Amino acid sequence: MRVLVNGGTGFIGRAAAAVLLERGHSVRILSRAGRAAGFPQSPRLESVRGDVLDPASLANPLAGCDAVVHAVQFPGHPIENPRKGYTYERFDGEGTANAIGAAKRAGVSRFVYLSGAGVRPDRREPWFRAKHRAEEALRASGMPWTIFRPSWVYGPGDRSLNRFVTFARRLPFVPVIGGGEERVQPIYIGDLADVVAAAAGRADAEGRIFEAGGPEILSMNEIIRTMLRVLGFRRPLVHHPVWMMKAVASVLRLLPNPPLSPAAIDFIRQENLVDARPMEETFAIRLKTLEEGLKAYL
């Protein structure tokens, strides 16, 4: 197949593109810069310029494509920056709807969308509202589609778990927002990329929503302690009250490129458990435990 990967220079999109290449497909990486650095040289890989906020810019990149993997995130995700237009509603909502419309006009035969764990119509958080809007647009499009709702994704290049790795390497302690008891199911990026790449051409994945999470339900404290064990470090966990961190984030969000915001703290601390069994059974994959995934790259 020839597959267009929207957001192919980002964390999830880059990993999915790499697996597609490994499996012999031709891949186009869509980015606003039109460059895809860091990939091995391949005659089946090309970089194309386009912007999901500009529907007209998507026509040429989509020409001749059989499938789309849509994994777009705005710069600085999950910290919205409305002054620069970096919001969930613009990128996940409006941008995904634009990409779906353009793909339908181009005659694409499969659209694979990376949504998020916990998406429901009754959720009011901006990331849930925007992703629900995107899912509804895809279901109403009439195109063959597959939706993945991943939990916390980690691996080389992630901007979440690897922050704790940096803290552990540079500080005598690891800071944690809140009590660290919120539960998640971390999924290794390699596992997620495998099933996303497979879904682009699998008939039994059409019209299905797959929740994607790892095989373990772990608290944030357990995740960090596992990371420390893999690194061979001994560091105490220092917990900071949520209210205090939100007060700090309220000031930081006034910066041109804020490193944190109150809403981002809510995003980081959300607890969304998933049922990954349908995904495991459909794609016959054994998901890595957190320790196995961390050892694969740390």
Side-chain angles (χ1 to χ4, degrees), residues 12-291:
I12 295 176
R14 178 182 294 274
V19 174
L20 286 164
L21 284 170
E22 288 172 4
R23 295 182 179 178
H25 303 295
S26 297
V27 176
R28 286 179 180 168
I29 303 293
L30 180 86
S31 69
R32 287 181 292 175
R35 298 187 302 274
F39 283 94
Q41 292 293 320
S42 171
R44 292 180 285 104
L45 174 69
E46 58 181 315
S47 302
V48 292
R49 187 185 300 274
D51 186 344
V52 295
L53 300 181
D54 177 13
S57 73
L58 303 177
N60 287 337
L62 281 162
C65 285
D66 304 294
V68 171
V69 170
H70 187 80
V72 171
Q73 291 182 328
F74 56 83
H77 173 273
I79 302 161
E80 292 187 298
N81 191 336
R83 286 169 294 182
K84 294 186 175 182
Y86 299 159
T87 66
Y88 287 99
E89 182 55 34
R90 287 205 75 202
F91 280 78
D92 288 82
E94 177 186 342
T96 304
N98 289 341
I100 292 167
K104 183 175 182 179
R105 290 190 292 274
V108 168
S109 59
R110 177 67 58 84
F111 195 104
V112 181
Y113 172 49
L114 273 296
S115 183
V119 171
R120 298 193 308 269
D122 61 331
R123 299 296 294 264
R124 295 295 89 198
E125 296 90 335
W127 48 90
F128 287 131
R129 289 202 308 268
K131 290 179 182 296
H132 179 257
R133 172 186 170 184
E135 288 190 8
E136 289 295 288
L138 188 53
R139 281 192 283 255
S141 68
M143 275 195 309
W145 55 265
T146 303
I147 294 172
F148 286 93
R149 292 175 176 171
S151 180
W152 195 28
V153 188
Y154 70 95
D158 82 62
R159 299 176 62 237
S160 50
L161 182 53
N162 284 332
R163 288 188 177 182
F164 292 106
V165 173
T166 300
F167 292 150
R169 285 176 168 159
R170 296 182 179 178
L171 301 174
F173 63 91
V174 178
V176 183
I177 298 175
E181 295 302 326
E182 61 272 17
R183 299 171 303 160
V184 293
Q185 289 172 251
I187 181 169
Y188 182 58
I189 182 62
D191 292 341
L192 180 62
D194 277 346
V195 296
V196 168
R202 289 274 294 264
D204 56 353
E206 182 179 329
R208 298 181 66 183
I209 298 175
F210 294 102
E211 294 185 331
E216 303 165 295
I217 297 175
L218 301 171
S219 70
M220 186 62 64
N221 290 333
E222 290 171 325
I223 289 170
I224 296 171
R225 290 184 182 120
T226 300
M227 175 269 294
L228 289 170
R229 186 170 64 251
V230 170
L231 288 172
F233 292 169
R234 298 183 68 178
R235 301 281 189 274
L237 276 55
V238 177
H239 298 85
H240 301 283
V242 175
W243 67 264
M244 182 180 74
M245 294 306 299
K246 283 193 172 184
V248 172
S250 295
V251 177
L252 293 176
R253 69 178 175 181
L254 301 177
L255 297 172
N257 295 296
L260 195 61
S261 70
I265 290 175
D266 289 335
F267 181 90
I268 294 167
R269 297 186 67 251
Q270 64 184 328
E271 182 176 279
N272 290 305
L273 303 183
V274 302
D275 180 4
R277 287 174 297 178
M279 182 187 76
E280 292 179 86
E281 293 167 359
T282 300
F283 298 100
I285 185 172
R286 189 190 76 82
L287 300 170
K288 290 180 178 63
T289 65
L290 177 63
E291 185 163 347

